[in-house]
Amino acid sequence: MQDAADVRNLSLVYTLAGVDCIDCAADASVVGAVNEGIDVAASIIPAVQRPWVMVSVNDDCRDLHFRKAEFDPEDCPPDCSKPCEKVCPADAISLESIMVGGHTQSDPLHGKLKGGILTERCYGCGRCLPVCPYDRIRAVSYVRDPTTTSELLKMNDVDAIEIHTTGKGIDTFNTLWNSLSESINNVKLVAVSLPDIGESTVDFMNALYAVMEPHLQGYNLWQLDGRPMSGDIGRGATRETVSFAVHMASMSERPPGFYQLAGGTNSYTIDCLKKAGLFQSMTLPGTATSETISSQQALIGGIAYGGYARKIIGRTLRKLPAQFGCVRIEDHPDHLLEALQEALSLVGPVKAYPAL
């Protein structure tokens, strides 16, 4: 999602909640919005830990994270019930009926729809595609420009990069990695997000690591993408990413690096991990929590929350424009506190915070 106002407010709230990293589009304006939110959080609580800022790119246009819905509202029948608008989790579809030719609002067959996709809000979940009764909506895929990404990595306010790969081949990843090689060492962390492709997953990951390893100076992380962009749907959405973790735990030849869950993560993920015996909280004698802990000490080193994290804070953010015509959440302490409590309900179990 590239809505700068929402990105800013989400970054502010989750910084106060104590997240370690904020992932965003590889776009300078979006990176700026993330850092503005972090800066405001630091002005509220100067001692707050500043999260790393991560930019996301893809090596293949087939990756579901890098697409936008698109349609022409004038192609839609004026009496359409607009199910796409209702099903969109990002409020990225806005349609309004207007009358033409002097007809009244009570005569919808002589009207038309205006509006459509709010591109900056759409994050490509695809839920609108199957519900359109007239099959008017299409998905438009894209690949982030590696030259632009390379320049972003040289900025002081970008700390990490996430590379999404589809698992369909090593060549596209190799090409992207080579195009980023001159700037990749400006970041502290390189994450690779990939799906479970079955028994060949570990071989594919080791092939990726062989490409990265000669130029890798910082940390590396594997993001296990179970069911992309589905965490806000419900409890069952988290099963695939936990199953992916269980699969990886059984593989002795997996490559080095930290492992993190994504794709379908929500408030049920921690409980599912505990049941699978993969969630560990540990305190090392004589070490501070900020010190480096070897990734070999626990298989799952973190959880990435996307759609669900936006959803629980979005309920509060949607109140702001309607009530105040303002999107600066810090100007309204009651709403900021409400959003922070929601964020802590998600971050707290991961961080083992004391119960509120």
Side-chain angles (χ1 to χ4, degrees):
M1 190 176 69
Q2 294 168 272
D3 184 307
D6 266 15
V7 167
R8 172 196 183 278
N9 285 326
L10 287 163
S11 300
L12 190 167
V13 171
Y14 279 106
T15 297
L16 291 176
V19 298
D20 299 297
C21 187
I22 296 175
D23 185 16
C24 68
D27 178 278
S29 63
V30 179
V31 171
V34 171
N35 278 292
E36 181 180 337
I38 294 172
D39 289 342
V40 175
S43 72
I44 296 171
I45 302 180
V48 73
Q49 171 185 291
R50 188 178 185 91
W52 287 355
V53 176
M54 173 186 283
V55 294
S56 287
V57 297
N58 56 326
D59 68 355
D60 190 327
C61 66
R62 293 171 290 183
D63 191 289
L64 298 180
H65 299 84
F66 294 83
R67 63 179 183 174
K68 300 279 187 180
E70 185 177 275
F71 68 93
D72 185 346
E74 295 194 6
D75 290 340
C76 301
D79 61 340
C80 181
S81 61
K82 301 181 282 189
C84 59
E85 194 177 51
K86 299 179 180 70
V87 78
C88 179
D91 296 323
I93 301 177
S94 178
L95 292 167
E96 180 184 352
S97 298
I98 60 173
M99 295 300 106
V100 295
H103 293 274
T104 65
Q105 188 74 27
S106 60
D107 190 9
L109 293 178
H110 291 87
K112 65 178 182 178
L113 296 177
K114 71 172 184 177
I117 302 291
L118 305 174
T119 304
E120 70 278 5
R121 294 194 62 81
C122 176
Y123 60 84
C125 72
R127 292 176 214 173
C128 59
L129 300 174
V131 303
C132 177
Y134 304 100
D135 198 26
R136 296 286 199 271
I137 306 175
R138 58 194 173 275
V140 180
S141 300
Y142 60 96
V143 176
R144 285 284 173 195
D145 176 45
T147 302
T148 302
T149 301
S150 186
E151 291 303 312
L152 277 174
L153 299 187
K154 297 174 184 176
M155 296 170 59
N156 291 330
D157 49 6
V158 172
D159 305 289
I161 184 171
E162 176 187 29
I163 302 174
H164 288 262
T165 186
T166 61
K168 299 183 186 301
I170 196 73
D171 291 344
T172 53
F173 183 92
N174 196 21
T175 299
L176 175 61
W177 183 261
N178 287 336
S179 68
L180 298 174
S181 60
E182 293 185 3
S183 57
I184 203 74
N185 286 324
N186 291 301
V187 297
K188 305 166 186 172
L189 170 74
V190 175
V192 176
S193 176
L194 76 163
D196 188 350
I197 55 175
E199 292 305 312
S200 61
T201 303
V202 168
D203 288 342
F204 180 68
M205 293 170 69
N206 279 308
L208 295 180
Y209 187 75
V211 171
M212 295 189 296
E213 198 269 338
H215 302 285
L216 196 61
Q217 294 185 12
Y219 297 103
N220 76 290
L221 180 149
W222 302 98
Q223 184 158 286
L224 309 181
D225 195 15
R227 184 177 173 183
M229 297 173 288
S230 65
D232 60 301
I233 294 175
R235 184 186 189 100
T238 202
R239 292 173 185 161
E240 289 186 41
T241 189
V242 174
S243 294
F244 195 174
V246 171
H247 175 203
M248 292 306 302
S250 69
M251 307 299 287
S252 60
E253 300 300 320
R254 58 182 181 267
F258 291 89
Y259 285 76
Q260 173 171 284
L261 297 193
T265 51
N266 53 36
S267 59
Y268 300 105
T269 303
I270 292 293
D271 285 343
C272 291
L273 275 176
K274 287 179 178 178
K275 289 177 182 177
L278 294 175
F279 182 80
Q280 299 181 49
S281 59
M282 60 179 66
T283 302
L284 299 182
T287 64
T289 56
S290 61
E291 290 186 14
T292 302
I293 297 174
S294 168
S295 57
Q296 277 68 42
Q297 291 179 276
L299 176 65
I300 302 302
I303 300 176
Y305 293 110
Y308 185 78
R310 288 190 292 269
K311 177 183 179 179
I312 62 175
I313 304 304
R315 293 190 288 248
T316 301
L317 295 182
R318 281 193 292 272
K319 298 175 185 178
L320 293 174
Q323 293 186 23
F324 305 109
C326 176
V327 294
R328 289 166 50 97
I329 192 170
E330 70 273 20
D331 291 339
H332 307 282
D334 289 345
H335 288 80
L336 176 58
L337 180 59
E338 177 185 319
L340 181 56
Q341 288 173 330
E342 290 280 11
L344 287 169
S345 72
L346 189 61
V347 178
V350 183
K351 294 283 195 172
Y353 292 162
L356 296 176

